[in-house]
Amino acid sequence: MKKFVSIFLIFYIIFLSVSPVFAYEPKQVIRVAKFNSGNYFISEDDGTVKSYDKEYLDKISEYTGMQYEFVDCGTWQNAVKMLENHQIDLVGTMQTSDERLQNYDFCKYEYGVTYASLACLPDKDYTFQDYTSFSDASIGCTIDYVRKSELYNWMSEHNITGSLTFYDTEPQLVNALQNGEIDIMAASVHTILPEWNILDKYCFSPFYFTTWKGNSALTEMIDNAILKIKLYESEFEDSLIEYYFPYISVDPLTSEEKDYINNSNGIELFFDPEAAPITFVDKKSGNMKGVIIDNCELISHSTGLKIQYKSLVDRALIDDSKNQYAFISIVNNYTSEYTKESDNEKITKPIFEFPFYLYCNWGFDYNVNSSYTVAMTSGRPAIRDYLEHTNPNYNIIECNTIKECFDLLKEGKVDLVFSSLYTSNNILIKENRTDVNFIPTTETNIGIAIKFTGSDSEILKSIFNKEISTIKSEDQTQALLNYTTNMAPEASLSYFIQTNTGVFIFILFIIFLVLLFACIWLIRYYAISKQKAALSSINDELRKANAAKTDFLSRMSHDIRTPMNAIIGMTNLAKKSANVSEETLDYLEKINSSSNFLLGLINDILDMSKIESGSLNFNPSVYFYNDFLSNISAMFTPLCNNKNVTFIIERGLTENTALFVDKVRFNQIFFNILSNAIKYTPNGGEVKYEMKNILVNNKNLSADYIISDNGIGMSEEFQKEMFNPFAREHDDTNTTEGTGLGLAITKNILDLMGGNINVSSKEGKGTTVIIHLEIPLAAKEQIVTNKIADNLIGDLNGKKVLLVEDHPLNTEIAEKILENKGVTVVSAKNGLDGLNKFRSSDQYEFDAILMDIRMPVMDGLETTKKIRKLNRPDAKNIPIIAMSANAYQEDIEKSLSAGINEHLAKPINPELLYATLEKFIGKNK
């Protein structure tokens, strides 16, 4: 019959496509009625409408291009009047009657179904189809109720003697029910509120879209679309009815069923203990758990029926006389002798359906017509019957557990395993069995149902079937997620290290070598470019070369910093992982040390490039002299202790003077000089820092900073070129790390700050460096502002951050760093994804945004601009912090001009990231 109907629909659509019809202009906006009818129309906060009609009209629009808008008509009765007056064009949910067919143009094809029904408030002691319980109850309906005659017949048939009262509108009828004027309300079932109790359903009736008389062009256009929907998307209408009107196809529990539940001591259900995530025994509690158990619990909670879940170790233990029942597998579209019912054996509809596949070893050449040995778990006769029927050449072997099945497959004792996708994944991923794969073309959906036996089987089947039909799809999905999202080992860095330590070390070593060679090549390229530029006498060519060099260095810096962030971040996380051997920890320490050295090379090259291009900028801020001394002590005292070198600090200034200087560049001057002094001073030597010739006035501090050592010293020849880039003494045999850029960078920074440097050195005696600087002092208001900012710093625990990062490893590293401080992280894979997640979040849900700059789809700068333009208060002031491998000053300026509050260069320093976040969103803030 279905085949005949489908053929008819196909020919009818072809006929419509070639037949001339009065065309309705799709661009005309169709006015559709919205009226007060239970929860049929729901108005959202943004003004949109949610209803069965809206989703169906959206689908019709896909086929017709029709545009429509809802018009609030108040009541159903007013909607009908507005339709007659042509104030609206379309009314939905219209059921037919002789009078209505004369007054309106109906579509030929219905778009939904309903029942005439009777309902009461939940506090009434009435039961579904227990007519004696409400035989004298008062009933109300609207004066224009389309099923009024059927209501009279129903009352007569069931001896209902109570009064019948009519109301002008449905809102008046609902008020009468709620304030106790009537006991029962008669209306179409789709208008009944979900919390009311349905007492009976009768007179099945389709409903239609209807327009005013003479507007047949509109109904013809809608009919064509409905016909195509029924043919091409046959499940669309059923899914809408199931979502919006689940009670249409499901009857409430009868009084007999309620009495059974109230008088029952409960039932026992037996399930497979080794079929996770479908059913399994939880090792900690010893209780049965799983997707099916969760669904049965929904049924138990809804009905009050007590259910105990037992492990089905031996089916012979089942005693039918004690209301003990077992699950049974049902193969879709296949009837097995094991799934047939009898008078004392009843089977529910499937509670849940799972995809089953044939599994094989990687590289197995599967042929659908060949004979194979197939393993499956025992106790599933319906599944075995299905396999033997569809594949008579298969030799079926039954095992006690699915693990035994896959062990036989690994040993080559069977060719294939037939199992649920989720149960198989639970075993294969847990055991890291990457040598097994499923065959996609062998998918079979198998439902899990309950088989009841004995005298109570019929009523239990009825109860379960009713409740199974009411389980929401989202509840089923959540039940599945509860046991599948965490069944696999966490694909984290620590898991990879524990299972592949040697591979992890090897990969890091290879990456490090690649980056080291890239850095060496970068240095050589820089030197060659510098030589070529010196030989060029044409200013235009020189500017082009400098621009190309800057662009090249910027890109190379970004490309090197990105994997460097991964190496340094992964190494730091790996050091904190559990079960890391001392040998592996030593390897990681060496990788971390080498990575920081490589990062120093990159920073020195970039600084030198900025100096030569004149783009090295200074960002002065308040810097207390005591903080400076603390920094150099913390930095260099451990280094001196390791080399048995005495480190002496003579502070010079007696007061904690507040300088106004670029902290990074100021530190860089002394860190470079002190680093060289310690590096070239042997064991037992001495390094000294002191301050002389101090002159302080209201605005400036003038002083000589002296750093001396008794190390190996420098030759007179080398002292003539020591400030040249890449200059190193005894480079052919020197085993000390360094680029030869430190003194050159220091000299250039001092020149830009208006200072000078003098060096005196003798081989074998040591070196003395005198730095003269005149530094501005911080104003009082600057000191106050700095102290206020310091007081705002607080911890980050409980904060929530949106992380926008396209690189998976960088994302994982940042998440781990932030989670260590108690920060909740929501990740977005690109700028557009980040924009959408922020737009869909609640106001002030996020405390800050961490933004990568170079990303596909939408970069970080464009994403920041769009976030700042959003019409919500938190978009204007949420802190946005760039975390980018773009480290040039112009990159920082672009970030700030786009609306970013702070720019951090990769690789990310966790402590700097914490401090930056604390400054903006610390709890004291």
Side-chain angles (χ1 to χ4, degrees):
M1 182 63 184
K2 287 185 177 179
K3 183 177 181 181
F4 173 77
V5 172
S6 298
I7 294 173
F8 168 75
L9 290 174
I10 291 172
F11 278 105
Y12 185 78
I13 290 174
I14 294 173
F15 170 75
L16 289 176
S17 64
V18 300
S19 300
V21 296
F22 175 52
Y24 204 92
E25 177 57 49
K27 293 184 179 180
Q28 180 180 342
V29 178
I30 307 303
R31 299 165 298 176
V32 182
K34 179 174 80 75
F35 44 84
N36 187 352
S37 183
N39 282 344
Y40 191 79
F41 291 101
I42 299 176
S43 296
E44 303 286 9
D45 293 338
D46 59 1
T48 59
V49 174
K50 180 181 179 181
S51 74
Y52 182 93
D53 279 12
K54 181 184 185 303
E55 294 208 36
Y56 215 113
L57 287 169
D58 285 343
K59 181 61 68 175
I60 290 173
S61 296
E62 292 178 15
Y63 285 90
T64 63
M66 180 182 77
Q67 300 181 38
Y68 70 93
E69 65 179 7
F70 281 106
V71 177
D72 193 349
C73 302
T75 65
W76 162 265
Q77 289 74 15
N78 193 48
V80 172
K81 289 180 181 178
M82 293 177 69
L83 181 66
E84 293 172 352
N85 295 330
H86 296 199
Q87 293 175 284
I88 56 175
D89 304 303
L90 203 65
V91 174
T93 69
M94 183 84 80
Q95 301 172 56
T96 60
S97 69
D98 292 340
E99 180 181 356
R100 289 178 175 179
L101 289 171
Q102 291 178 359
N103 294 334
Y104 313 108
D105 275 352
F106 278 74
C107 287
K108 292 181 181 179
Y109 304 108
E110 80 278 359
Y111 73 100
V113 295
T114 188
Y115 284 93
S117 67
L118 293 104
C120 68
L121 297 180
D123 59 354
K124 294 291 184 182
D125 191 21
Y126 302 153
T127 304
F128 180 72
Q129 292 185 345
D130 183 6
Y131 305 110
T132 57
S133 67
F134 52 85
S135 60
D136 59 351
S138 58
I139 302 174
C141 68
T142 57
I143 192 69
D144 58 353
Y145 184 37
V146 70
R147 297 298 171 228
K148 194 186 303 181
S149 61
E150 288 86 348
L151 176 60
Y152 287 134
N153 293 336
W154 176 86
M155 294 177 68
S156 175
E157 178 182 354
H158 298 292
N159 296 319
I160 305 300
T161 59
S163 61
L164 180 59
T165 306
F166 300 102
Y167 296 87
D168 292 334
T169 65
E170 187 172 319
Q172 292 176 357
L173 175 62
V174 172
N175 287 336
L177 179 69
Q178 291 177 335
N179 62 29
E181 290 180 23
I182 56 174
D183 300 314
I184 298 173
M185 169 177 147
S188 297
V189 71
H190 66 270
T191 67
I192 301 299
L193 293 177
E195 60 268 23
W196 296 351
N197 291 338
I198 295 177
L199 302 179
D200 202 5
K201 296 187 294 186
Y202 61 95
C203 190
F204 171 88
S205 175
F207 54 71
Y208 304 82
F209 284 117
T210 311
T211 186
W212 33 269
K213 204 68 174 177
N215 195 18
S216 60
L218 177 58
T219 59
E220 289 176 10
M221 179 178 68
I222 294 175
D223 274 330
N224 291 342
I226 292 176
L227 197 58
K228 292 176 183 178
I229 292 169
K230 291 179 181 294
L231 178 62
Y232 301 137
E233 302 183 59
S234 57
E235 295 181 357
F236 171 74
E237 191 174 301
D238 291 339
S239 64
L240 277 190
I241 291 175
E242 181 181 355
Y243 180 80
Y244 282 99
F245 318 127
Y247 36 79
I248 285 182
S249 57
V250 180
D251 291 337
L253 297 178
T254 65
S255 57
E256 180 186 4
E257 292 165 344
K258 289 182 178 179
D259 289 342
Y260 178 86
I261 293 171
N262 292 333
N263 296 326
S264 171
N265 293 324
I267 60 174
E268 292 179 337
L269 297 183
F270 283 76
F271 292 106
D272 192 333
E274 299 286 345
I278 301 175
T279 57
F280 63 96
V281 173
D282 181 54
K283 294 181 179 180
K284 292 183 178 180
S285 64
N287 298 327
M288 290 294 300
K289 289 188 175 182
V291 178
I292 298 300
I293 305 298
D294 283 4
N295 280 268
C296 288
E297 276 298 284
L298 292 174
I299 295 173
S300 175
H301 183 268
S302 174
T303 62
L305 180 64
K306 298 176 183 177
I307 303 176
Q308 293 185 6
Y309 308 99
K310 298 296 183 68
S311 172
L312 185 56
V313 179
D314 186 352
R315 288 177 179 271
L317 295 176
I318 298 178
D319 184 353
D320 296 337
S321 64
K322 295 182 179 179
N323 293 337
Q324 298 173 333
Y325 311 99
F327 79 95
I328 188 168
S329 303
I330 299 178
V331 183
N332 283 3
N333 302 318
Y334 175 73
T335 301
S336 167
E337 63 174 304
Y338 299 101
T339 57
K340 292 180 180 178
E341 294 185 325
S342 64
D343 291 341
N344 289 323
E345 290 185 340
K346 301 298 178 181
I347 299 174
T348 68
K349 63 177 67 176
I351 298 177
F352 207 102
E353 290 187 354
F354 298 90
F356 276 62
Y357 292 92
L358 284 172
Y359 285 79
C360 63
N361 288 319
W362 274 102
F364 183 79
D365 187 13
Y366 175 75
N367 189 315
V368 69
N369 296 317
S370 298
S371 298
Y372 299 111
T373 302
V374 181
M376 61 170 284
T377 48
S378 60
R380 291 164 174 79
I383 295 180
R384 176 168 186 144
D385 188 36
Y386 165 75
L387 284 176
E388 291 176 340
H389 176 79
T390 54
N391 302 278
N393 295 329
Y394 284 2
N395 176 29
I396 310 296
I397 295 178
E398 294 190 9
C399 302
N400 291 327
T401 65
I402 188 61
K403 184 180 184 303
E404 292 180 17
C405 293
F406 283 108
D407 287 343
L408 292 179
L409 182 67
K410 184 177 183 179
E411 295 166 5
K413 295 180 180 180
V414 297
D415 303 308
L416 303 167
V417 172
F418 188 65
S419 174
S420 157
L421 173 67
Y422 303 114
T423 302
S424 301
N425 284 349
N426 184 60
I427 294 295
L428 297 176
I429 300 178
K430 183 181 295 183
E431 297 189 355
N432 200 25
R433 291 286 301 277
T434 58
D435 56 332
V436 178
N437 190 28
F438 68 86
I439 303 172
T441 56
T442 61
E443 179 180 0
T444 302
N445 285 326
I446 295 182
I448 306 299
I450 305 294
K451 182 178 182 180
F452 294 110
T453 57
S455 58
D456 296 337
S457 59
E458 184 68 45
I459 193 169
L460 284 169
K461 172 188 174 181
S462 175
I463 293 171
F464 266 68
N465 279 348
K466 288 179 179 180
E467 297 303 319
I468 290 170
S469 298
T470 62
I471 297 177
K472 297 179 180 179
S473 58
E474 53 263 36
D475 290 335
Q476 290 191 320
T477 301
Q478 186 59 51
L480 184 61
L481 291 174
N482 288 341
Y483 301 102
T484 55
T485 53
N486 296 319
M487 68 181 181
E490 182 182 359
S492 63
L493 178 63
S494 58
Y495 173 74
F496 179 80
I497 294 172
Q498 293 172 16
T499 56
N500 304 277
T501 302
V503 176
F504 175 76
I505 297 297
F506 179 75
I507 291 173
L508 284 181
F509 179 72
I510 294 299
I511 294 174
F512 176 77
L513 285 180
V514 171
L515 291 175
L516 183 59
F517 282 122
C519 192
I520 294 172
W521 182 80
L522 177 61
I523 294 172
R524 289 183 177 274
Y525 176 85
Y526 176 81
I528 293 171
S529 298
K530 185 175 181 296
Q531 292 172 3
K532 288 182 178 180
L535 296 174
S536 176
S537 60
I538 303 174
N539 291 334
D540 290 341
E541 291 182 359
L542 181 60
R543 282 193 293 269
K544 291 179 182 179
N546 283 333
K549 182 187 68 175
T550 299
D551 181 66
F552 173 81
L553 290 174
S554 175
R555 292 179 180 275
M556 285 299 294
S557 170
H558 179 276
D559 293 342
I560 292 175
R561 283 174 183 273
T562 298
M564 281 298 299
N565 186 60
I567 291 177
I568 294 176
M570 287 193 299
T571 303
N572 287 331
L573 292 176
K575 287 162 61 180
K576 298 177 181 180
S577 300
N579 302 324
V580 178
S581 66
E582 290 295 325
E583 183 180 8
T584 300
L585 190 60
D586 181 59
Y587 291 153
L588 294 172
E589 290 287 354
K590 292 176 180 177
I591 291 172
N592 192 52
S593 176
S594 299
S595 299
N596 287 322
F597 168 64
L598 182 57
L599 182 60
L601 294 182
I602 297 168
N603 290 333
D604 283 348
I605 294 168
L606 292 180
D607 281 344
M608 202 65 217
S609 175
K610 293 176 185 177
I611 289 169
E612 292 189 349
S613 64
S615 61
L616 186 67
N617 296 323
F618 291 82
N619 300 296
S621 61
V622 177
Y623 197 10
F624 286 95
Y625 184 68
N626 284 355
D627 293 342
F628 165 71
L629 293 180
S630 296
N631 286 338
I632 63 173
S633 176
M635 175 69 73
F636 296 107
T637 298
L639 295 178
C640 290
N641 292 338
N642 289 339
K643 291 190 65 177
N644 192 26
V645 171
T646 302
F647 184 35
I648 301 172
I649 298 176
E650 293 185 359
R651 61 177 292 125
L653 280 174
T654 57
E655 296 181 357
N656 187 20
T657 305
L659 310 178
F660 193 68
V661 66
D662 187 321
K663 295 180 183 179
V664 174
R665 300 306 174 192
F666 188 76
N667 285 342
Q668 194 171 6
I669 293 170
F670 294 94
F671 284 10
N672 282 342
I673 302 301
L674 285 168
S675 177
N676 283 341
I678 296 170
K679 187 186 305 180
Y680 295 108
T681 298
N683 291 352
E686 178 183 287
V687 175
K688 183 177 182 180
Y689 163 87
E690 54 186 326
M691 190 177 180
K692 294 184 177 180
N693 302 323
I694 301 169
L695 180 61
V696 181
N697 57 35
N698 292 333
K699 295 184 177 180
N700 297 293
L701 164 67
S702 176
D704 291 333
Y705 304 83
I706 303 171
I707 299 169
S708 58
D709 64 74
N710 57 1
I712 64 175
M714 295 180 286
S715 67
E716 292 182 2
E717 290 76 18
F718 178 72
Q719 292 181 51
K720 296 176 182 178
E721 59 180 25
M722 61 183 174
F723 293 120
N724 294 336
F726 308 107
R728 299 181 68 189
E729 190 168 26
H730 310 305
D731 194 54
D732 54 337
T733 60
N734 190 11
T735 59
T736 306
E737 295 179 343
T739 62
L741 290 173
L743 282 176
I745 292 171
T746 299
K747 177 68 167 60
N748 281 278
I749 292 175
L750 283 168
D751 290 343
L752 292 171
M753 293 178 67
N756 59 64
I757 180 171
N758 291 302
V759 180
S760 60
S761 180
K762 288 186 179 182
E763 289 184 285
K765 298 293 185 181
T767 302
T768 299
V769 179
I770 301 175
I771 297 170
H772 178 78
L773 276 172
E774 188 169 333
I775 303 170
L777 299 179
K780 291 182 179 180
E781 57 270 21
Q782 294 169 331
I783 297 174
V784 171
T785 302
N786 183 76
K787 290 183 177 179
I788 292 174
D790 289 341
N791 289 335
L792 292 176
I793 294 177
D795 72 271
L796 301 173
N797 187 43
K799 298 297 183 179
K800 188 171 184 181
V801 169
L802 175 61
L803 172 65
V804 187
E805 168 65 65
D806 66 307
H807 198 290
L809 276 179
N810 288 343
T811 300
E812 181 179 3
I813 291 166
E815 287 176 345
K816 292 286 186 182
I817 290 173
L818 293 168
E819 288 168 359
N820 287 340
K821 283 291 186 179
V823 178
T824 300
V825 182
V826 176
S827 299
K829 60 187 177 183
N830 55 57
L832 181 59
D833 188 24
L835 175 63
N836 291 334
K837 286 185 176 177
F838 182 82
R839 182 188 286 124
S840 61
S841 68
D842 294 334
Q843 290 187 15
Y844 299 104
E845 176 180 343
F846 292 110
D847 298 292
I849 300 174
L850 300 180
M851 183 75 67
D852 190 15
I853 300 301
R854 291 192 183 183
M855 293 182 290
V857 184
M858 183 184 292
D859 64 37
L861 299 180
E862 183 65 22
T863 304
T864 299
K865 293 176 183 177
K866 290 184 179 294
I867 288 175
R868 293 302 190 200
K869 291 180 181 179
L870 291 176
N871 186 23
R872 46 189 287 175
D874 57 340
K876 304 298 185 294
N877 51 33
I878 185 171
I880 301 179
I881 300 167
M883 294 198 311
S884 172
N886 295 347
Y888 267 56
Q889 181 62 32
E890 50 264 37
D891 297 323
I892 297 173
E893 291 172 356
K894 288 179 182 178
S895 296
L896 298 178
S897 64
I900 289 175
N901 301 88
E902 194 85 25
H903 186 108
L904 303 182
K906 293 177 180 175
I908 295 302
N909 182 323
E911 297 304 321
L912 180 58
L913 176 58
Y914 295 151
T916 304
L917 283 172
E918 287 169 352
K919 180 174 72 173
F920 286 104
I921 63 171
K923 284 194 173 179
N924 292 334
K925 180 81 173 175

